[in-house]
Every structure is written in structure tokens, then in C-alpha cells.
Amino acid sequence: MKTTHILPMPLSDRWLIGLACLVFVALALLPLVASALVVDKLTLLFILIMFAVMWNLLAGYAGLVSVGQQAFVGLGGYAMIRLVEAGLPPFPAIFMGAALTGLAAWVLSWFVLRMKVGEFAIATWVIAEAIRAVVSFDPLIQGETGTSLVALNAYAPEIRRLTVYLLALASMGVMIWGTWRLLHGRIGAQSQAIRDDEGAAASVGISTFQVKQRIYIIASVGCALAGALWLASAITFQPRTAFGVQWSVFMLFMVLVGGLGTFIGPILGALLFFALQEIFGDFGAWYLAGIGIVAIVFALYLPRGLVGLWLDRGCDEPLSMRKRLGLAPGQTPRA
């Protein structure tokens, strides 16, 4: 097998990584001077970025377009509630709940990943609704009334807010770094090959089901972790909200606006979506209409999202592996 020579990381990418590290450190120190409102809003931003990065990993790189990722958002919060009820402290329960959700995703993967693209998208939504209905029957949840994570009230509000903020920041950082490492490895090349032509990928010896299963479970665990962190911030758990389809709509919007199948795109899309929420969130239905208009504009005039503007200038995507492999823009690395 021919070995592809990997060039050194471009200077621009190294500068970008350095800048990202500085921003991360600044965000870690920000609660020392920022108000409680700013901390809460940034916590939500970190969660949105996690959602976007995970959905892009699933749909943008593995070609698994899901409209049911809210199943894992809700399961992450529900598992956390059940673990706390069993006696586990709330903050460790965030990560344990995400791990248990990964086990549920592993079970589901044996069924949904054998479906075709259209069937997969519909099945994920149906499964999410079915799980929401089952969770609603739990006496602890009290149907659509929901319940509150009262164990968090044992912590002072400022301590709880700071802890959730730092956990969300750290989780976001790990997801972004982990996704970058994953996509620059063998599984990243294999997943993109499957996305482009699954039959051709299988013909060269790639275990398509195994690769898709790994991506599916990783994305599910990431969404569950973000969902548990959201619950730790909101405290109140209601099935209709936790399992609401709006989570998948948000993910889809952020990724498509930022750039599907790009590394930087979902982060840019999450920042834009967060800004739109902050500017127009108080306008009620007009806010939703504005989100729809933005989505239509991007679909018509910027189908490759914000990153597409950069690519259309003949430049390679920041932090992309293509330049280091000496490939032309748009060319997929071989598995």
C-alpha cells in the first residue's frame, strides 16, 4: 500500500491553535470578573458548540443525517437524574449518565445503522419520540410535568454555576480536540470515504458498519454529555423539552450555516446561532422567522456555509488535513 507523505502543519494552523489555547485560558479565568448572567450565557454557548461538533461528526463526516439526536440529549439528562436518585453525587453523575447513554447508543446502532439514508433519518426521530414517551411513564419524572434536580440545591448558587461552567468549557475543549485527532487519523479518512461512496469504501476493505458504529456512539455520548450539562444548568427536567426536536433543528442549523463536513464550520455556526438568539430572542415568533430566513439565505446563496466563503477564494480549510497530505481542495484523503 502506498504511504502518503504528511507535510508539517502550516504556520497559519499553528497560529490558530495557539490563539485557540489563549482563548480557552481566558474563558477559564473569565468567571473571576464576569457577572452571573455572562457565565450562564457562555455555558449555553459551550453546550451549543458541543451539539454542533457532534452532529457534524455524525452527518458531515460519516454521512449519517440524524433528526433524532434529541434522544441522546434527553437520555443524558434522564440518566443523570436516575443516578442522583440512586445516591451518586450530581457532578460525577453527568459523566456517568453520558457513559450509560453510550451503552444505549451501542444497542440502537445494531438496528438503525443497517437502514438506508432516508430510513435512518426517520427512524432516529421515531426512536427519540418513543424514548420520550417511555421516560414520561417513569413515576419519578411525573409525566410531562417533569422533575427538578434538587440535589444541586445543596451547593451554593455561585459554586454550582462556576462548576457547571468549567465542566462545560472543559468538555467542549475535549470534544473539539478529540474530534480533530479522530478526523486526522485512520477512522477519519475511513468515515469520509464511506460518506462519499459506501460501496467503494467496502470494496477496499473498510468495515463500513464498524466505522459508522464508532462515530454514532461517539456523537451520541457527546450529545448526552451536553444534555446532562444543560440539565445541570437548568435544573428542571421536562421530557417534552429534554427530548424536543428543537435540539436537532439547532444542530442542523448551526452545522449547515457554518459548513457541513468542515472542522471550523460548526463552531462558527454555533457562534452565529448564539448571536442571533441574543439579538432576536426576545422577539418571540419573529425570532424563529428570522432563523428560518437566515437558513434560506444560506441554502440559496451559501450552500457550503461560512467556511465555503473561504474555500471559494481558493484557500484550504483551516486545520484541514488536505493541505498536509498535499491534496487539492475538495479531494478526500484515502483510507
Side-chain angles (χ1 to χ4, degrees), residues 28 31-32 34-36 39-40 43 90-91 94 151-168 229 232-233 235:
L32 297 175
S35 66
V39 171
D40 286 339
T43 300
F91 294 119
I94 292 174
L152 285 173
N153 293 329
Y155 302 89
E158 57 275 11
I159 297 298
R160 182 177 68 237
R161 179 178 293 108
L162 176 61
T163 303
V164 175
Y165 173 89
L166 292 177
L167 288 177
L229 287 166
S233 177
I235 296 181

Side-chain angles (χ1 to χ4, degrees), residues 1-178:
M1 180 179 294
K2 182 180 179 180
T3 302
T4 303
H5 179 62
I6 299 179
L7 301 174
M9 181 180 292
L11 181 61
S12 58
D13 285 358
R14 282 182 281 175
W15 276 103
L16 186 58
I17 292 175
L19 177 61
C21 292
L22 290 176
V23 170
F24 187 86
V25 172
L27 288 172
L29 298 176
L30 189 64
L32 297 175
V33 296
S35 66
L37 179 61
V38 171
V39 171
D40 286 339
K41 288 185 178 297
L42 285 176
T43 300
L44 175 60
L45 173 60
F46 301 155
I47 291 171
L48 289 175
I49 291 175
M50 284 188 270
F51 283 145
V53 170
M54 289 295 100
W55 198 85
N56 183 58
L57 178 64
L58 187 68
Y61 286 99
L64 297 170
V65 180
S66 169
V67 291
Q69 287 305 98
Q70 65 270 19
F72 305 110
V73 176
L75 276 176
Y78 175 66
M80 178 184 176
I81 288 176
R82 268 296 169 190
L83 288 169
V84 170
E85 181 70 12
L88 192 67
F91 294 119
I94 292 174
F95 300 96
M96 184 60 70
L100 290 176
T101 302
L103 180 60
W106 176 79
V107 174
L108 289 172
S109 69
W110 293 98
F111 303 96
V112 297
L113 294 182
R114 300 186 186 280
M115 299 178 180
K116 297 179 180 179
V117 176
E119 295 171 343
F120 174 82
I122 296 172
T124 55
W125 179 77
V126 172
I127 289 171
E129 287 298 298
I131 293 175
R132 180 188 66 80
V134 171
V135 169
S136 298
F137 283 113
D138 187 339
L140 179 64
I141 304 302
Q142 306 176 68
E144 293 300 334
T145 303
T147 187
S148 296
L149 201 58
V150 293
L152 285 173
N153 293 329
Y155 302 89
E158 57 275 11
I159 297 298
R160 182 177 68 237
R161 179 178 293 108
L162 176 61
T163 303
V164 175
Y165 173 89
L166 292 177
L167 288 177
L169 175 63
S171 298
M172 178 191 69
V174 170
M175 283 189 196
I176 293 174
W177 176 81

Side-chain angles (χ1 to χ4, degrees), residues 275-294:
L276 291 174
Q277 276 193 322
E278 291 301 304
I279 297 171
F280 302 110
D282 294 332
F283 288 85
W286 287 105
Y287 153 69
L288 298 176
I291 292 293
I293 291 172
V294 172

Side-chain angles (χ1 to χ4, degrees), residues 191-281:
S191 65
Q192 292 175 74
I194 293 170
R195 176 198 61 192
D196 295 338
D197 190 329
E198 185 170 350
S203 68
V204 296
I206 296 176
S207 177
T208 58
F209 179 84
Q210 186 178 62
V211 173
K212 290 193 295 183
Q213 186 180 51
R214 290 177 180 176
I215 296 291
Y216 180 76
I217 293 173
I218 291 171
S220 301
V221 171
C223 286
L225 178 56
L229 287 166
W230 174 80
L231 174 60
S233 177
I235 296 181
T236 302
F237 178 90
Q238 293 178 310
R240 192 165 296 279
T241 300
F243 290 93
V245 71
Q246 77 275 1
W247 296 118
S248 284
V249 173
F250 293 165
M251 295 178 206
L252 189 149
F253 177 87
M254 291 184 289
V255 173
L256 293 185
V257 167
L260 179 68
T262 66
F263 181 75
I264 297 293
I267 300 173
L268 297 178
L271 291 172
L272 177 61
F273 178 71
F274 177 77
L276 291 174
Q277 276 193 322
E278 291 301 304
I279 297 171
F280 302 110

